């Protein structure tokens, strides 16, 4: 007998709705036994005292940005993967805006090969999104059928990670991808309506002297996508939802039976325009943080399932890129190592969400959106999970972050809750 035994750990699995204290034994990369108590000789296994700790399925991030290839000074793949594992993520979607862009099979294969060349274990499964348009520039379609048929390595699906402003092209993409049976992700954003805005339009932005972005910059594009989906019946994932009005539109679309799913980012759940008035450049995001009513609608949307998933949208930048005025800072923040602890502390600890609801939005539903079987804590299943201590307190600084990027509002602050260990055996069937 060999392996690891976790004694009296709180097992949470959103696929079954499980939330109970159990003994869990893993061996050979699989869950061997799960029961309220297990009679196993501790001399034959490594024993971990799980009292007060949480065992949960590995987290799945729908979309994030990689510095490598092209911007390794921001963050390498090795650093991204180390941060993901330290945050409990076992699968990470990578958007195509690398250099070169992920718009052809060779570029996609190169990214996966770079990850495979790393000898660090455990490591997350990287799932690159293949670009919808050449260079992810929104002007000319890529060879979509060729990209969709890739079998030798996994891709997340088809997405640019940028708004598609050409409505004729958008229609053709929806028509063309209808039969490809691959996840399709679109960001509803009208750049013309957004103008030069850097904060969500409203009294708070006006008070802070920040140029506003109209809600209509999101909802006008969203309405166009939804109407095309209504006519063409092409399944679509709506990414980076940030306004209360969008939540209402998506709720109605789902009630009408449209084949749509939606996600928001962890930062839009934790912060609002009120926080942006601190002028912290790490809170400069695109889309911008919502007003408090937007934030409240997103939080409620995750709880009810109108917003299916929480994405990290991890965006590393070098120190000098973000150490500028709020309006000059490139939009984005890091988050793979930080998100779960911050979300648990903000929503689960006070009872706003249940632990199952949080994990459903960070593991089960993202996997389903990517058309993948979700990680499970079930006998004979491959081990893909993490151990979390809700009571642990740690400081986010250079000594604890796995990435050289520091663009987070949590830097040099304490977080309550920490991932202690992550297990992942991606080679098992």
């Amino acid at each position: 007998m060999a392996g690891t035994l976790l004694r009296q750990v709180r097992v949470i699995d959103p696929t079954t709705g499980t939330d109970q204290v159990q003994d869990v034994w893993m061996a050979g990369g699989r869950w061997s036994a799960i029961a309220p108590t297990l009679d196993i000789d501790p001399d034959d296994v490594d024993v971990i005292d799980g009292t007060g700790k949480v065992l949960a399925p590995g987290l799945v991030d729908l979309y994030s940005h990689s510095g490598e290839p092209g911007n390794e000074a921001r963050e390498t793949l090795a650093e991204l993967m180390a941060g993901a594992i330290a945050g409990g993520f076992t699968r990470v979607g990578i958007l195509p805006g690398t250099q070169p862009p992920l718009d052809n099979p060779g570029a996609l294969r190169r990214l996966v090969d770079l990850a495979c060349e790393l000898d660090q274990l455990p490591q997350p499964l990287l799932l690159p999104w293949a670009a919808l348009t050449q260079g992810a520039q929104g002007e000319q379609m890529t060879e979509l059928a060729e990209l969709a048929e890739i079998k030798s390595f996994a891709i997340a699906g088809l997405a640019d990670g940028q708004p598609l402003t050409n409505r004729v092209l958008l229609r053709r993409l929806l028509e063309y991808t209808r039969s490809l049976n691959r996840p399709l992700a679109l960001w509803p954003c009208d750049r013309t309506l957004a103008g030069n805005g850097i904060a969500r339009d409203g009294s708070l932005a006006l008070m802070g002297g920040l140029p506003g972005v109209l809600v209509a910059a999101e909802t006008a594009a969203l309405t166009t996508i939804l109407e095309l989906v209504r006519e063409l019946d092409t399944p679509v994932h709506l990414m980076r939802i940030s306004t209360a009005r969008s939540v209402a539109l998506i709720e109605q679309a789902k009630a009408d039976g449209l084949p749509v799913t939606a996600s928001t980012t962890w930062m839009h759940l934790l912060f609002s325009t009120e926080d942006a008035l601190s002028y912290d450049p790490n809170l400069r995001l695109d889309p911008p943080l919502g007003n408090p009513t937007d934030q409240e609608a997103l939080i409620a949307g995750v709880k009810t399932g109108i917003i299916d998933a929480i994405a990290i949208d991890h965006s590393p930048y070098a120190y000098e890129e973000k150490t500028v005025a709020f309006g000059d800072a490139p939009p984005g923040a890091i988050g793979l190592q930080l998100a779960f602890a911050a979300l648990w502390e903000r929503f689960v600890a006070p009872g706003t969400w249940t632990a199952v609801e949080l994990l459903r939005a960070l593991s089960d539903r993202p996997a389903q959106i990517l058309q993948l079987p979700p990680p499970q804590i079930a006998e004979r299943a491959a081990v893909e999970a993490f151990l979390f201590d809700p009571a642990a307190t740690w400081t986010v600084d250079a000594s604890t972050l796995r990435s050289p990027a520091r663009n987070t509002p949590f830097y040099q602050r304490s977080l309550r809750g920490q991932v202690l260990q992550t297990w992942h055996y991606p080679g098992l069937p």
Side-chain angles (χ1 to χ4, degrees), residues 15-310:
T15 62
T16 57
T18 300
D19 186 349
Q20 61 187 36
V21 174
Q22 295 179 303
D23 284 356
V24 180
W25 173 36
M26 67 179 84
R30 296 190 182 277
W31 303 114
S32 297
I34 303 170
T37 57
L38 291 172
D39 185 15
I40 295 176
D41 185 351
D43 292 335
D44 293 338
V45 297
D46 294 326
V47 179
I48 297 176
D49 182 5
T51 305
K53 300 177 180 65
V54 169
L55 180 68
L59 305 177
V60 181
D61 180 30
L62 282 173
Y63 43 87
S64 278
H65 299 263
S66 172
E68 185 179 7
N71 286 291
E72 289 81 358
R74 293 175 176 171
E75 184 180 71
T76 65
L77 268 181
E79 290 160 343
L80 179 148
M81 295 169 78
I85 287 296
F89 284 89
T90 53
R91 309 181 199 177
V92 179
I94 301 296
L95 289 170
T98 54
Q99 297 298 327
L102 305 179
D103 60 359
N104 63 83
L108 289 157
R109 186 183 302 278
R110 177 57 180 156
L111 180 75
V112 174
D113 287 346
L114 285 171
C116 292
E117 290 168 4
L118 302 173
D119 57 6
Q120 61 193 60
L121 291 174
Q123 62 176 245
L125 175 66
L126 293 188
L127 297 163
W129 286 90
L132 283 164
T133 63
Q134 293 180 17
Q137 295 298 307
E139 297 178 359
Q140 187 173 349
M141 284 193 293
T142 54
E143 296 294 336
L144 295 172
E146 182 182 9
L147 292 170
E149 290 174 359
I150 290 173
K151 302 295 183 184
S152 58
F153 56 90
I155 64 171
L158 303 167
D160 269 4
Q162 297 294 329
L164 284 169
T165 57
N166 185 324
R167 294 183 180 184
V168 174
L169 177 60
L170 174 61
R171 173 189 168 179
R172 289 175 178 167
L173 283 167
L174 288 170
E175 289 174 330
Y176 196 81
T177 58
R178 182 169 45 190
S179 62
L180 296 181
N181 194 30
R182 283 286 194 175
L184 171 65
L186 297 174
W187 175 14
C189 174
D190 187 318
R191 290 294 194 197
T192 303
L193 286 175
N196 295 320
I198 57 176
R200 182 60 63 199
D201 190 60
S203 59
L204 289 169
L206 182 63
M207 181 176 64
L210 299 174
V213 177
L214 294 173
V215 169
E218 180 168 288
T219 57
L222 175 60
T223 301
T224 297
I225 294 170
L226 292 177
E227 287 304 306
L228 287 171
V229 170
R230 190 182 301 275
E231 290 197 24
L232 302 174
D233 202 34
T234 304
V236 165
H237 177 73
L238 304 162
M239 59 192 296
R240 298 187 179 125
I241 298 303
S242 68
T243 68
R245 179 60 183 150
S246 292
V247 175
L249 289 169
I250 292 165
E251 182 178 22
Q252 184 60 56
K254 288 187 171 187
D256 292 344
L258 270 62
V260 296
T261 57
S263 61
T264 189
T265 82
W266 73 296
M267 294 284 285
H268 287 83
L269 294 165
L270 291 171
F271 300 99
S272 74
T273 311
E274 288 183 336
D275 303 290
L277 295 185
S278 67
Y279 305 104
D280 181 350
N282 297 311
L283 292 174
R284 170 78 196 284
L285 304 176
D286 194 8
L289 292 169
N291 289 314
T293 52
D294 298 312
Q295 183 186 18
E296 291 167 8
L298 293 169
I299 292 168
V302 170
K303 185 175 182 66
T304 60
I306 297 168
I307 300 298
D308 300 85
I310 301 169

Side-chain angles (χ1 to χ4, degrees), residues 369-385:
I369 290 167
L370 295 173
Q371 300 177 7
L372 298 172
Q376 281 187 280
I377 302 177
E379 290 186 7
R380 295 181 295 279
V383 174
E384 186 176 349

